[in-house]
Amino acid sequence: MSLVIHNLHARVVGGQEILRGLNLEIEKGRVHAIMGPNGSGKSTLSKIIAGHPDYEVTGGEVLLDGVNILGMEPDARSRAGLFLAFQYPVEIPGVSNANFIRAALQARLAAGEELEATEYYGDLYKEMDRLEIPRGFTARSVNEGFSGGEKKRNEVLQMAMLKPSYAILDETDSGLDIDALKIVAAGVNAQRGPNIGMLVITHYQRLLDYIVPDVVHVLVGGRIVRTAGPELAYELESKGYDWIKDELEAAATA
Amino acid sequence: MSDSLLQDAPSTAAHPLPDWFRKNQKAAAARFDTLPMPTRRDESWRFSNLKAVDPQDFAPARPVAPELAAALLSRSHGLKSPAGSTVFANDRLLAHQLSPALAAQGVLWLPIEEALQSHGELLKGHLLKNTPLLGSDKFLALHQASLRAGSFLYVPKGVHIEAPLQTFHWVAGSGQAVFPHTLVVAEEGSSATVVDWFKSEGEARNLSIAANDLVVAKDAKVHYVSVQDWSRQSVSLHSNNTNVAAGGAALHLGLHLGGVYSRSESVSRLEGAGARSEMLAATVADGAQEFDQRTLQEHGSPDTYSDLLYKNALYDRAKTIVSGLIRVAPHAHRTDAYQKVRNLILSPDAEANSLPGLEILADQVRCSHGATTGEIDPDELFYMQSRGIRSTDAYRLITFGFLNEVLDRLPHEELRSQLQDALKARLRGH
Ligand SMILES: Nc1ncnc2c1ncn2[C@@H]1O[C@H](COP(=O)(O)OP(=O)(O)OP(=O)(O)O)[C@@H](O)[C@H]1O
Ligand SMILES: [Mg+2]
């Protein structure tokens, strides 16, 4: 059981190519991290997997437990078990956070079935408590006026409520203070287990101290250019990306 | 031309109405006859589809049969425990109730005909006292001439009514005309919330010419909600007049759902220093519906505040008009006046017209007005879909959120959630 990205080529609709033959396999039960320079295509990869309409796939496939999801609508992908924690969560004025999450859960039920309200609020409050999100956030409009850190916590809350089988967390650590980072990491770790595969996109080794990955990848120029154990993150932290780019160039000209 | 409409004016035999009222009704009937029908060339009727409004197509509503009256009563679901509740069908009283505790405090909550008989002097200074300013002179004359149904609320000095008072106005049959009225007089330092539900039995075409007067005395607070949920064939005209004395605060929220042509006029007169008024409307327009909304924020005193937020969601070939004027008198210094119109276009054939206006004659005034028209934000749509919400439901939810921002301004929770339910029932996917 895994999320397989095979030789993925993609571009902005009618624009330049951003992913150029990307390969990655996220097994259930494992946590993979992706690091890479700004603009290397990390968020694009996550959005393409989630089905963002701004991008078109020009080659390759994405298999969720063996099923190619590239032809599916974004909502169907989510219901199939995929989750994306956005780098920039979107504000939805006038829709309360509680109603939003409820609609997402309701969408997973068969037609005619109704979500049980008391049970729902019980679960919601439990997860909010774990992430130390005050109760008042249920009534507030989705992400509207939330601080950067509050938005990220809210993403992790949604993930906890939706219980995906594969989750991509795009810079969920950015905007978090040290305390919040620990809380959010604990929230993510609580969801870790044999039934979920995770892809954690980050710029900072610090996050990986809390959410210790099984594998670390480096994404440069729309491709995975290096894969190693958690020690790779430390190496990147101290040396940056230039040495990898240099090695790549050397290899290309060799 | 008005013969058929005026023949069934309120009977005065059994319950004598005050002389002044009958005199005013006579004068109004004469005015209705002599005033010309407005035309689209009149500034206050620009863009309006006047063809939809011909009073001659309608006759004064006849009473409904007892079985239907009982059915409508049972369908008048309102708040769990309103402070007062009144139900009319075709302008006839079906039920009426006021919390005894409030009655003991001197609160009056009466069907307007009864109030005219028992407290005529109290109504005299307030009922339809304002000169129409937004174009409906002729229709308001007909309203006055035909007035027989509606609610009168009197809140004595310093009395606070927590729970809302509600009135249901039903119309049944076809070609029926009704003329609902709500008069609220809130004395110094008092407060109350009043809601009018306008509902049709069946899908037939009827006419409603409704009006209300909100008289907010010094430091008093009045919240008034109108839910226009007439049948989709009906013609609806509604005039709201809010007069706020020094330190008083008014809020009028209109939820506009029904009617083929629906006009609402709303005037806030900020008469005393520090008076405040919030003017809110949420409109769902689809099919060939037209919602024609005219507003005036009239600042007559210093340090006054008004805030208008009108939001329209438009499907199909629907059309909305919001024409709003902010007028600040020469001595109304340090006025704050805001006006925001937001249109959400859900179909390429829909048409949203916004006509803002400013007339500022005072100093140190903070005024802003703006109208924007947009479509569903693709980022919001994708975000919702990425959580598993189907695009049709996401459209509905985003549209709900857009309009709910208006409903969220209403402080009363149970009432707000009823409005949200009414709104949800009306929204479509995509
Ligand atoms: N919708 C778009 N239109 C135009 N260019 C785009 C679009 N989306 C992504 N790009 C471009 O593709 C490249 C990759 O962007 P992406 O957001 O995936 O980078 P990233 O690796 O997530 O960077 P960061 O670390 O800064 O978040 C960038 O050059 C970006 O400008
Ligand atoms: Mg990014």
Side-chain angles (χ1 to χ4, degrees), chain A residues 43 87 170-171:
Chain A
S43 293
Q87 181 175 1
D170 190 359
E171 294 198 27

Side-chain angles (χ1 to χ4, degrees), chain A residues 188-199:
Chain A
V188 172
N189 285 330
Q191 294 171 55
R192 226 173 143 161
N195 296 321
I196 185 168
M198 290 191 196
L199 179 61

Side-chain angles (χ1 to χ4, degrees), chain B residues 271-294:
Chain B
E271 296 173 334
R276 302 169 68 84
S277 181
E278 284 180 77
M279 300 164 77
L280 308 167
T283 299
V284 183
D286 69 3
Q289 281 186 300
E290 174 172 332
F291 289 89
D292 182 4
Q293 305 164 85
R294 314 276 163 164

Side-chain angles (χ1 to χ4, degrees), chain A residues 75 79 84 94 108 155 158, chain B residues 383 385 387-388 390 401 404:
Chain A
D75 50 289
R79 293 193 302 276
L84 168 60
R108 285 160 168 77
E155 294 292 286
Q158 292 171 47
Chain B
Y383 190 66
Q385 285 188 279
R387 298 310 184 234
R390 290 170 184 81
N404 186 44

